[in-house]
Amino acid sequence: MHPLQGIRVIEFCEVAAGPFCGMLLADMGAEIIKVERAQGDAMRSWPPISAGYSENFASLNRGKKSVVLDLKSEEGVAAAHDLIMSADAVIENFRPGVMDRKGLGYDAMSQIKPELIYCSISAFGQSGPRSREGGFDLTMQAMAGVMSVTGEPGGAPVKCGVPLCDFVSGLYGAFGVVSAFRTASETGKGAHLDVAMLGATLAIGALQTSEYFGTGQDPRKLGSAHPRNAPYQAFRAADGYFGMAAGNNKLWASVCGVVDREDLVAEDRFSNPTQRAANQTELLELLETVFVTKPVQHWLDAFAAAGVPSSPINTYSQALGDPQVAHMGYVQDLALPNGAQTKTFGSPILFDGAPNPIGSAPPVLGANTDEVLRALREEKTVRAPA
């Protein structure tokens, strides 16, 4: 049995952050009813398209039902109201105030259903001087400081290749929802969860914000290097690059043994992580002079034998093809609604050593509209006084 089985969540979300939040809850067994406009979630049109169905959309919307409602019409709003009243939780990622103007915001809904958990994901939060502004992952990486520490020193601003602002906001949203379930079940009182992409992104920058608070200086971009530890970065070998992290003095001594430079252990400038970080430009030159003499695999094998963490710089195909990924059962088969067969990366959480199976395929737009609305009408009839 999945831990959230029996929980119903209504999702009013598009693109990434909100749908990812909903999918995390679906993976844990919650019933997710995704409310879409007639044109559907914008991500339905994102390539790659397999036989007319977006694989990007599928990667964030498995295990959900799709209901099409026109929230600009009285009938659509009334149906959305009934859906919310039937649910344990709501996730929405409209700009602040949109749901309130439709009479579907937390204040109105919690007056009728005080135990409701209502999660609002937005760029800057539900209140404050920037609350009415929109945002996308790129602008939030820029706003939250991520781009100031990403890329090579002196280089142009670079965003993280993975849209981390979107996905970490979805993670915080899902964490908040399941945490609020505990209080709601014990007290009968729900909560309005305000998840701002700005706040979520700053929160995972704990090492960078603490560096600023502790020194008064802004963290700097260092490429793949680390501000407080070395050697801890990507290194060039004869036929490419590899990553290696010697995070303490014992590992540093092992590195010196691998490159046959035990003399470096005794040098003051490399005597501890702080000193090595302060002198890492020189350290990089010393080590790469040796590394470029042999191929990547040689160094990976040598560091593995010495117990020093190292890794190839994988492409996604190489990462997904790693035997550890296969062992953990992360990649699962997925049948798209159009019959096309593909694969997807499932939940990375194993329960009692077993991978979490995918519940159902992502939905066709509006596939569950009649079924869900019919069930709602029947529920209202049953609840109506005689």
Side-chain angles (χ1 to χ4, degrees):
M1 178 176 176
H2 287 78
L4 296 183
Q5 191 168 328
I7 297 294
R8 174 178 282 185
V9 180
I10 312 302
E11 177 194 302
F12 297 89
C13 301
E14 288 203 19
V15 187
F20 183 58
C21 177
M23 188 182 71
L24 294 177
L25 299 175
D27 283 344
M28 295 299 113
E31 178 191 19
I32 308 296
I33 299 176
K34 181 181 181 73
V35 176
E36 301 185 69
R37 53 200 170 95
Q39 298 82 4
D41 184 332
M43 189 171 272
R44 286 185 178 274
S45 64
W46 287 24
I49 304 293
S50 294
Y53 202 91
S54 167
E55 299 239 5
N56 273 182
F57 178 84
S59 73
L60 295 178
N61 290 281
R62 62 175 177 257
K64 301 179 184 179
K65 297 176 180 178
S66 173
V67 170
V68 169
L69 295 178
D70 178 5
L71 295 183
K72 295 181 179 179
S73 71
E74 291 184 8
E75 296 81 2
V77 170
H81 177 281
D82 291 344
L83 275 174
I84 293 172
M85 288 298 101
S86 76
D88 301 285
V90 170
I91 309 167
E92 61 94 6
N93 68 350
F94 290 110
R95 289 200 191 191
V98 170
M99 291 293 274
D100 288 326
R101 290 194 292 274
K102 297 180 184 301
L104 301 173
Y106 175 73
D107 288 344
M109 297 296 93
S110 62
Q111 290 293 317
I112 307 168
K113 189 167 188 170
E115 70 273 25
L116 183 68
I117 296 163
Y118 198 106
C119 178
S120 296
I121 301 174
S122 64
F124 294 100
Q126 299 300 297
S127 63
R130 291 191 182 274
S131 62
R132 302 301 176 188
E133 297 179 23
F136 288 95
D137 185 85
L138 170 69
T139 58
M140 301 317 299
Q141 285 196 36
M143 177 66 74
V146 173
M147 291 175 71
S148 76
V149 295
T150 305
E152 295 297 327
V158 176
K159 73 176 180 69
C160 176
V162 174
L164 62 89
C165 302
D166 280 327
F167 289 99
V168 74
S169 300
L171 277 167
Y172 271 112
F175 175 67
V177 168
V178 296
S179 298
F181 279 142
R182 176 71 179 271
T183 301
S185 66
E186 292 181 350
T187 68
K189 182 162 187 341
H192 188 193
L193 310 177
D194 184 357
V195 180
M197 293 172 70
L198 175 64
T201 307
L202 282 167
I204 61 166
L207 298 184
Q208 285 71 35
T209 57
S210 61
E211 180 178 346
Y212 170 70
F213 293 142
T215 68
Q217 302 295 316
D218 278 317
R220 298 175 295 116
K221 60 177 68 175
L222 296 170
S224 65
H226 195 285
R228 287 169 286 281
N229 217 333
Y232 195 103
Q233 65 183 101
F235 294 93
R236 183 164 54 93
D239 60 347
Y241 288 82
F242 66 95
M244 184 267 288
N248 55 48
N249 286 339
K250 182 180 178 181
L251 290 172
W252 164 237
S254 297
V255 170
C256 293
V258 168
V259 298
D260 197 22
R261 287 297 305 269
E262 286 88 348
D263 59 298
L264 295 177
V265 175
E267 292 204 21
D268 288 342
R269 59 182 174 159
F270 304 138
S271 61
N272 58 56
T274 302
Q275 284 294 97
R276 290 193 291 276
N279 295 286
Q280 61 181 300
T281 300
E282 301 164 65
L283 182 58
L284 173 64
E285 293 174 358
L286 284 168
L287 292 177
E288 282 197 339
T289 298
V290 181
F291 291 153
V292 295
T293 64
K294 290 185 171 61
V296 165
Q297 194 59 51
H298 169 86
W299 297 114
L300 295 179
D301 293 341
F303 285 125
V308 177
S310 65
S311 173
I313 310 297
N314 280 338
T315 61
Y316 269 95
S317 61
Q318 291 168 327
L320 292 168
D322 191 273
Q324 184 65 25
V325 172
H327 170 79
M328 299 296 280
Y330 294 145
V331 177
Q332 299 186 36
D333 292 329
L334 182 68
L336 299 178
N338 56 17
Q341 295 294 317
T342 187
K343 292 184 181 295
T344 194
F345 196 95
S347 173
I349 302 172
L350 274 63
F351 282 84
D352 297 322
N356 192 15
I358 292 172
S360 63
V364 169
L365 177 62
N368 309 100
T369 303
D370 292 342
E371 161 206 342
V372 169
L373 296 186
R374 186 185 313 113
L376 276 180
R377 288 192 295 269
E378 291 172 356
E379 290 173 15
K380 286 181 70 174
T381 301
V382 169
R383 291 196 304 266

